[in-house]
Amino acid sequence: METTKPIEDWNRPQEPRQDNKKVLAGIMGILFGGLGIHKFVLGYTSEGIIQLIVSIVTCGIFSIVGLIEGIIYLTKTDEEFYQTYQVNKKGWF
């Protein structure tokens, strides 16, 4: 009696790869929060420009928002971060 194995395609993963940018965005938010680099990493161009301009206008006081967002990014689970910021495209906090 011969059993047939399903053909596995070793070159194609079964599930689409989740390109999770949590660590990179979190570190960029903590280090360069006022420049909005973490927003650009996640693909939020308009939010990144807004954060950069407001940070320049307030002489860097608005940089605290980037620090807080970086900490929030790093404290979320990988799946929660991916669903919130990469799938649902939540721009702020």
Side-chain angles (χ1 to χ4, degrees):
M1 201 173 199
E2 188 176 315
T3 59
T4 58
K5 293 182 181 179
I7 299 173
E8 294 179 21
D9 191 0
W10 61 271
N11 200 19
R12 289 189 206 160
Q14 295 295 330
E15 297 177 15
R17 187 173 155 247
Q18 296 178 358
D19 190 20
N20 199 336
K21 302 174 181 178
K22 178 179 110 167
V23 175
L24 179 62
I27 291 173
M28 289 295 132
I30 291 171
L31 296 178
F32 306 109
L35 300 176
I37 293 175
H38 60 291
K39 297 290 187 185
F40 292 111
V41 166
L42 293 174
Y44 303 139
T45 307
S46 58
E47 288 90 345
I49 292 170
I50 291 169
Q51 188 159 6
L52 178 62
I53 291 171
V54 172
S55 186
I56 290 172
V57 169
T58 62
C59 297
I61 295 173
F62 196 68
S63 297
I64 193 74
V65 172
L67 175 70
I68 293 169
E69 284 183 331
I71 293 170
I72 290 172
Y73 292 167
L74 292 176
T75 57
K76 290 188 178 285
T77 64
D78 289 343
E79 184 61 32
E80 186 179 22
F81 176 86
Y82 180 76
Q83 288 298 321
T84 303
Y85 297 106
Q86 292 182 258
V87 173
N88 295 333
K89 297 288 185 185
K90 182 178 177 186
W92 298 97
F93 291 103

